Structure formats: structure tokens, C-alpha cells
Amino acid sequence: MSAFKPGDLLSYSAGSTQTGPDGFRTVNRAGLPLLGLLRNLFPTVYAPFGTRLPLVLNAYPASVGFPTDGVLVDCYLSFRTASRALQLAAREGMPVLILGQSLFIAELLRRHRAQGFAWPDALIALVGGYYTPLSLERAMQAIVQPAGVALGFVHG
């Protein structure tokens, strides 16, 4: 007998090496006050966001849940889709919280700049999955610096 309920949302990580049926997590549909947590725990990193409604870009290879204090865009690890979300945020004056692994975010920023697209004025990279060296953080900051983008990091 299954313990699943109608409306459950299960997420398998695209990067997992586990190939059996049990390698999922249940996503909490009640939401997560992600931005409020960042604002309270990392006020200096969060400061460029101010009181504006942020766009939360999920660039992680699995669903992370639903922020209750931001607009969620899932890019499904598509650079094109993620870049479109950055352009939307720029047009709407929204800061962006990017959830993902460091190398994907770095490549996204590099490709976005190479296309000459508009940037939001503030980004926070909430990175996880593996250790992010300071040299990679600095490389990402160098990518966005000419556009005047404030880029902060939070390591998960």
C-alpha cells in the first residue's frame, strides 16, 4: 500500500547516480520562505534586493520547492530558458536568486553576457552540490561586473 497522496510532488535529481525507484524527495507544496531566510541570515548579501519582489531561478537538477516570497522559474538546466528568465527579471526590475551548482551558474552567466542580453541589477547565487572555490566566485563576479550587477554568494 502506497503512502502517496493526490497532489504529492516527487522530485528525482537529474544528477543522481541512484537508478532505483526510491531516489526521490517529496517537495513541500506549502512553500518555503527562502528569501526571508536569506534576508535574516545574510543581510549584507541580501541588501541589494531591498524590498523588491525577486525572481527565484531554479537551475538545480531537481525541484527545490516553492518560494513563498518570490516568483519561481524552473529552467530544467536549459541555458536558453535560464537566460530568458534573467532577461525577464531585467525588464521587470526584479533581483534574481539563482539556485544551482557553481559551474552551471558560471556558464549561464558567461553565455548570457556573450549574447549581450540585459541583466537584472542584483543576483544572489545560492550554490550547492560541491565546494565552490574562491577563484570561481571571482570569475563569476568578473563576468557580471561590467554590467554593474551586484552578485552575492551563499553556499549551501
Side-chain angles (χ1 to χ4, degrees), residues 71-125:
V71 175
L72 178 67
V73 173
D74 252 321
C75 75
Y76 305 100
L77 294 179
S78 162
F79 291 110
R80 184 173 157 216
T81 301
S83 185
R84 292 169 68 197
L86 292 177
Q87 292 173 70
L88 174 67
R91 186 187 75 198
E92 299 298 321
M94 301 169 79
V96 177
L97 172 65
I98 304 175
L99 311 173
Q101 296 176 331
S102 301
L103 288 174
F104 181 88
I105 294 173
E107 182 65 8
L108 166 62
L109 299 178
R110 187 195 68 76
R111 289 184 184 195
H112 192 78
R113 183 179 78 181
Q115 292 295 318
F117 293 135
W119 290 94
D121 66 349
L123 299 168
I124 295 174

Side-chain angles (χ1 to χ4, degrees), residues 22-100:
D22 296 322
F24 64 86
R25 61 188 153 128
T26 304
V27 177
N28 182 352
R29 284 185 179 267
L32 173 67
L34 187 56
L35 286 298
L37 291 170
L38 288 177
R39 184 177 51 249
N40 292 336
L41 295 173
F42 305 99
T44 304
V45 174
Y46 193 83
F49 279 40
T51 59
R52 296 177 293 161
L53 177 67
L55 186 142
V56 178
L57 177 56
N58 181 25
Y60 189 71
S63 178
V64 293
F66 304 98
T68 57
D69 44 7
V71 175
L72 178 67
V73 173
D74 252 321
C75 75
Y76 305 100
L77 294 179
S78 162
F79 291 110
R80 184 173 157 216
T81 301
S83 185
R84 292 169 68 197
L86 292 177
Q87 292 173 70
L88 174 67
R91 186 187 75 198
E92 299 298 321
M94 301 169 79
V96 177
L97 172 65
I98 304 175
L99 311 173

